[in-house]
Amino acid sequence: DTAVSQTPKYLVTQMGNDKSIKCEQNLGHDTMYWYKQDSKKFLKIMFSYNNKELIINETVPNRFSPKSPDKAHLNLHINSLELGDSAVYFCASSPSTIRTDTQYFGPGTRLTVL
Amino acid sequence: DAKTTQPTSMDCAEGRAANLPCNHSTISGNEYVYWYRQIHSQGPQYIIHGLKNNETNEMASLIITEDRKSSTLILPHATLRDTAVYYCIVSAGNKLTFGGGTRVLVKP
């Protein structure tokens, strides 16, 4: 019944590895997002997709590549992981890109790069 | 997007109203005020939003000053489950930036 789900919940990996985080929403929303929460708990948007099209792309290294196979899924692939990538990554969705639409967040994926 | 300033932390007694202030003195005319909260180890949860009128829903009330430079989130009857970090966000679009927030501890 989970509205926005992410896998895995925890991810521990070595520097230089490539990893993916998956996100799925069953709310029928058109818009999905990836946010990053750093160690100071500041949460910032990374990407946003609307109907599988990229609409927000913040200043994020090219090593991060989102992929949206369909409206219900937005995966995040990270190449050549670095220590500074350690953070909690949250996926979210909203009905559309209208600014007053509520964003629904997933439970987060805690990524630790050793 | 305009920046917001919130107290770092506050305590509240269970059953009492919790009033959470937020300053956003540089807010522009097309920016909304949003409130989200994050309970420990969970994703953020939407609470309420407003443009210039006061708003109320089943979770909370939002009072926005006439000049829109500040706002107050009111939790009418705080419960222990309201213990969380509360974020006040100002944005003209759907790109939300969460600052430090206010850590609210509801005590029995």
Side-chain angles (χ1 to χ4, degrees), chain A residues 31-35 44-50 53-60 66 74 97 103, chain B residues 91 93-96:
Chain A
T31 308
M32 296 185 72
Y33 312 79
W34 276 111
Y35 285 83
K44 289 187 178 178
I45 193 167
M46 300 171 69
F47 302 102
S48 174
Y49 271 71
N50 186 60
E53 286 192 27
L54 181 66
I55 55 170
I56 294 175
N57 185 353
E58 291 297 282
T59 310
V60 177
L74 181 61
T97 56
Q103 294 188 26
Chain B
S91 178
N94 57 359
K95 191 169 72 173
L96 304 179

Side-chain angles (χ1 to χ4, degrees), chain A residues 9 31 33 35 37 41-45 48 55-56 58 90 94 96-103 105-107, chain B residues 30-32 34 36 38 41-46 49 51 87 91-101 103:
Chain A
K9 188 167 175 62
T31 308
Y33 312 79
Y35 285 83
Q37 188 167 40
K41 301 300 183 184
F42 292 113
L43 205 146
K44 289 187 178 178
I45 193 167
S48 174
I55 55 170
I56 294 175
E58 291 297 282
F90 288 98
S94 65
S96 71
T97 56
I98 296 173
R99 56 185 173 164
T100 54
D101 276 353
T102 298
Q103 294 188 26
F105 285 78
Chain B
N30 64 343
E31 289 183 309
Y32 278 76
Y34 302 85
Y36 279 74
Q38 189 172 20
S41 295
Q42 296 183 22
Q45 176 191 22
Y46 167 82
H49 74 273
L51 184 61
Y87 296 97
S91 178
N94 57 359
K95 191 169 72 173
L96 304 179
T97 299
F98 293 66
R103 187 171 296 276

Side-chain angles (χ1 to χ4, degrees), chain A residues 35 43 105, chain B residues 1-6 22 24 27 31-37 44-45 48-50 62 71 86-99:
Chain A
Y35 285 83
L43 205 146
F105 285 78
Chain B
D1 293 335
K3 293 199 173 187
T4 62
T5 305
Q6 299 177 250
C22 179
H24 30 80
I27 192 171
E31 289 183 309
Y32 278 76
V33 179
Y34 302 85
W35 283 84
Y36 279 74
R37 72 179 183 184
Q45 176 191 22
I48 199 166
H49 74 273
L62 174 60
S71 60
Y86 287 75
Y87 296 97
C88 170
I89 302 159
V90 170
S91 178
N94 57 359
K95 191 169 72 173
L96 304 179
T97 299
F98 293 66

Side-chain angles (χ1 to χ4, degrees), chain A residues 13-72:
Chain A
T13 188
Q14 299 286 333
M15 252 191 337
N17 284 350
D18 302 338
K19 290 293 178 186
S20 291
I21 306 172
K22 295 187 175 182
C23 177
E24 176 181 1
Q25 54 95 3
N26 62 6
L27 297 167
H29 290 169
D30 285 346
T31 308
M32 296 185 72
Y33 312 79
W34 276 111
Y35 285 83
K36 178 181 179 181
Q37 188 167 40
D38 61 25
S39 56
K40 293 183 180 178
K41 301 300 183 184
F42 292 113
L43 205 146
K44 289 187 178 178
I45 193 167
M46 300 171 69
F47 302 102
S48 174
Y49 271 71
N50 186 60
N51 279 321
K52 302 196 301 174
E53 286 192 27
L54 181 66
I55 55 170
I56 294 175
N57 185 353
E58 291 297 282
T59 310
V60 177
N62 291 338
R63 300 181 294 102
F64 289 78
S65 54
K67 295 249 182 339
S68 182
D70 55 58
K71 270 187 358 176

Side-chain angles (χ1 to χ4, degrees), chain B:
Chain B
D1 293 335
K3 293 199 173 187
T4 62
T5 305
Q6 299 177 250
T8 305
S9 65
M10 63 186 294
D11 292 348
C12 175
E14 187 181 18
R16 304 296 293 268
N19 296 305
L20 282 63
C22 179
N23 284 326
H24 30 80
S25 58
T26 60
I27 192 171
S28 59
N30 64 343
E31 289 183 309
Y32 278 76
V33 179
Y34 302 85
W35 283 84
Y36 279 74
R37 72 179 183 184
Q38 189 172 20
I39 295 169
H40 183 61
S41 295
Q42 296 183 22
Q45 176 191 22
Y46 167 82
I47 301 173
I48 199 166
H49 74 273
L51 184 61
K52 49 185 176 181
N53 296 325
N54 297 338
E55 303 287 345
T56 295
N57 63 18
E58 65 279 2
M59 287 183 74
S61 294
L62 174 60
I63 308 298
I64 303 175
T65 58
E66 198 167 336
D67 63 7
R68 301 209 323 124
K69 293 185 177 183
S70 66
S71 60
T72 301
L73 178 75
I74 301 172
L75 307 177
H77 304 288
T79 70
L80 299 180
R81 284 182 290 184
D82 291 323
T83 290
V85 179
Y86 287 75
Y87 296 97
C88 170
I89 302 159
V90 170
S91 178
N94 57 359
K95 191 169 72 173
L96 304 179
T97 299
F98 293 66
T102 297
R103 187 171 296 276
V104 173
L105 176 61
V106 180
K107 296 182 173 180

Side-chain angles (χ1 to χ4, degrees), chain A residues 2-19:
Chain A
T2 306
V4 182
S5 59
Q6 297 178 227
T7 53
K9 188 167 175 62
Y10 300 97
L11 185 52
V12 181
T13 188
Q14 299 286 333
M15 252 191 337
N17 284 350
D18 302 338
K19 290 293 178 186

